Amino acid sequence: MTTIAKDTAVRFNYILKDENGNVIDQSQGEPLAYLHGHNNIIPGLEKELEGKSAGDSLTAVIEPADAYGEYQEQAVQKVPRENFQGVDDIQPGMQFQSEAEGQVMLVTVTDVTDDTVTVDANHPLAGKKLSFDVEIVDVRAATEEEISHGHVHGAGGVQH
């Protein structure tokens, strides 16, 4: 039986909960596929899955530093409303792509006034302890093509 290690293709079902037990996300009928050891999933979950096999189930509690990072206050900024030309109705919760110092990032609007729009570049799950209920569906050796591409192909993976 193949165990999860670097360069294995893994498919798993999951339920992701916050620290209050609220469901944030879950696989819905189609297991998530990833290539182990290639940064396809958050580091803390990848570490917890190492050595597991098809049929194994586990609950993994992941600290923010091993998930989406700590919440960074400096990632919240007020920007002039005129920077959003062509967007008439800006509402909290809307997301936009932004470029700063040559880096493209996704920002979420948190507040809007007549003159400014407050945006947050933190990942929505930054600073949160996460709990994953996981069931490993299958584990196999990745193909050379998958390894060179850095992701799993086929069911639950990239189709190209």
Side-chain angles (χ1 to χ4, degrees), residues 10 35 41 54 58 69-70 77 81 84 92 94-95 97 115 126 136 159-160:
V10 181
L35 183 59
I41 62 173
L58 67 138
E70 299 295 343
Q77 296 184 336
R81 176 72 171 80
F84 292 84
M94 292 176 84
Q95 294 185 315
Q97 278 192 342
D115 300 323
I136 310 298
Q159 308 288 332
H160 63 113

Side-chain angles (χ1 to χ4, degrees), residues 32-54:
L32 178 68
Y34 81 99
L35 183 59
H36 194 81
H38 291 260
N39 301 316
N40 291 171
I41 62 173
I42 60 172
L45 182 57
E46 189 167 69
K47 182 179 176 188
E48 291 289 324
L49 296 179
E50 182 92 23
K52 303 292 190 263
S53 302

Side-chain angles (χ1 to χ4, degrees), residues 15-131:
I15 299 173
L16 169 59
K17 299 175 187 171
D18 65 17
E19 45 193 328
N20 297 319
N22 299 311
V23 174
I24 299 170
D25 192 20
Q26 61 187 1
S27 53
Q28 303 201 352
E30 179 66 38
L32 178 68
Y34 81 99
L35 183 59
H36 194 81
H38 291 260
N39 301 316
N40 291 171
I41 62 173
I42 60 172
L45 182 57
E46 189 167 69
K47 182 179 176 188
E48 291 289 324
L49 296 179
E50 182 92 23
K52 303 292 190 263
S53 302
D56 287 351
S57 293
L58 67 138
T59 296
V61 177
I62 312 298
E63 294 295 326
D66 292 324
Y68 294 96
E70 299 295 343
Y71 189 84
Q72 305 291 323
E73 288 294 336
Q74 66 270 25
V76 179
Q77 296 184 336
K78 291 181 188 263
V79 296
R81 176 72 171 80
E82 60 263 17
N83 285 12
F84 292 84
Q85 291 179 4
V87 183
D88 295 330
D89 185 27
I90 300 174
Q91 298 291 323
M94 292 176 84
Q95 294 185 315
F96 295 90
Q97 278 192 342
S98 175
E99 187 174 339
E101 299 171 15
Q103 192 174 15
V104 176
M105 66 188 85
L106 190 64
V107 297
T108 303
V109 174
T110 59
D111 190 44
V112 181
T113 68
D114 288 341
D115 300 323
T116 63
V117 177
T118 305
V119 295
D120 186 345
N122 283 290
H123 186 282
L125 298 177
K128 297 185 188 292
K129 183 188 291 189
L130 303 174
S131 175

